[in-house]
Amino acid sequence: MSFYQLRLSLAFSSQTTFITRRHIHRSNNSRQLSTLFASVVDMNHHETLFKSFNPLGPNTNLSNLSTGESLQLHGKQITRLSSSPDIFLVRDLIHKEDRNILMKAAALQGMKIAGTRSSGENTVRKNSYLTWIDPHSILCSNDDDEGGDYWKDASSVARETIAKSRLCFVHDVMNDLINTVEKMEFCFAEDLQVAKYDKQGMFDYHHDGYSRYLTVLTYLNGVGGTYFPFGDMGDELLGINFTNEDEVSVLKFKKNLDKCCGILIVGEEGSDPYLKSSGFVKPKNIIHIKAGDAIAFYNYMPGGEKDLRQLHCSLPVPREKWISTSWFRSEALTGPFAALKKMQLFQESSSLCGA
């Protein structure tokens, strides 16, 4: 081989090696970029999932309902009354025999006057009484103790009522945690409250609060009178941030609205007693309920802040009214470390689902 041919061969070999190395280098860069891109996509996917993750809100079945739509869930007909904020109606949550058991057991046990506090010159609660029924009571009844029989039955009814409320309305993730000792900070159910209002009994505007993120309220004798001034208002409530205001400011905002607002729940008594007694009550929608029907509403924003759109009241009733209430609480997701606790719950649920 001549010197020229040798140089040409070496040059070609060197060029080939350079091209090959450059190709490998580009391939490595491509793989790194592909991995990085996949990581970014995965991170964006998880961020999207996290933003939509709301364990303080409705379960998947209910979230997909539009206002006015209904579905059958666990043998119950559920209708969405409002999507902003979330309010639902469930028909016949508690059957007649069980309603009578709860009312009689509460009366036999003895109902105490509902706690009152001052709100300006007005009393927040008036002519209302309540008691609590332990769903896990182990009190034994005997033949000579009628109250014992009713109390035993009432505990069973309370347990069943809380279970039905949980199945219908608690978020899927929270359902797996409810009342487990190690996860009670995330979700647990209170004992069932039974309350009675005498004629003209009332409970002024309030937010359920105290980490009670979900309320399921059942009308035991078919008398309503519950008013949500911001129910089903959606984008009509521009100009106020409901997470940064206090209750007084929010109600002042409502008073200044020159339009029909909110949802009024009425029973066999009809709407006239409420509409004629208060100029403040100008509902956009009137919902008619029967004895045994219940409403469910979610009291906190996804980030753990109070949702003051869920302010509501029990208007002065024209006749005796009985209700029961199931409250579901989350200290973790409504407390000072709500964001961290929500991320923890999201990561745990994602790992279980393989997300």
Side-chain angles (χ1 to χ4, degrees), residues 116-190:
T116 58
R117 56 189 172 88
S118 295
S119 176
E121 298 178 354
N122 301 318
T123 302
V124 172
R125 304 181 82 151
K126 184 174 74 172
N127 296 344
S128 62
Y129 312 86
L130 61 83
T131 191
W132 300 86
I133 297 182
D134 182 356
H136 306 292
S137 175
I138 56 174
L139 289 176
C140 296
S141 61
N142 56 59
D143 294 337
D144 298 325
D145 184 6
E146 182 186 18
D149 283 325
Y150 266 91
W151 187 250
K152 178 183 175 183
D153 291 339
S155 293
S156 176
V157 173
R159 186 165 58 252
E160 183 180 345
T161 300
I162 293 169
K164 287 187 289 189
S165 300
R166 165 191 171 182
L167 286 173
C168 289
F169 297 108
V170 171
H171 191 279
D172 317 319
V173 170
M174 302 290 257
N175 243 323
D176 297 333
L177 305 176
I178 194 166
N179 286 356
T180 55
V181 175
E182 64 276 11
K183 294 292 185 181
M184 282 188 72
E185 64 169 336
F186 283 97
C187 186
F188 71 94
E190 295 186 18

Side-chain angles (χ1 to χ4, degrees), residues 76 90-96 99 217-222 289-295:
K76 300 297 179 183
V90 55
R91 296 293 185 184
D92 198 27
L93 184 68
I94 306 180
H95 302 309
K96 182 177 180 179
R99 298 196 303 270
L217 185 156
T218 306
Y219 299 93
L220 297 179
N221 69 335
I289 55 94
K290 296 180 180 179
D293 293 346
I295 54 172

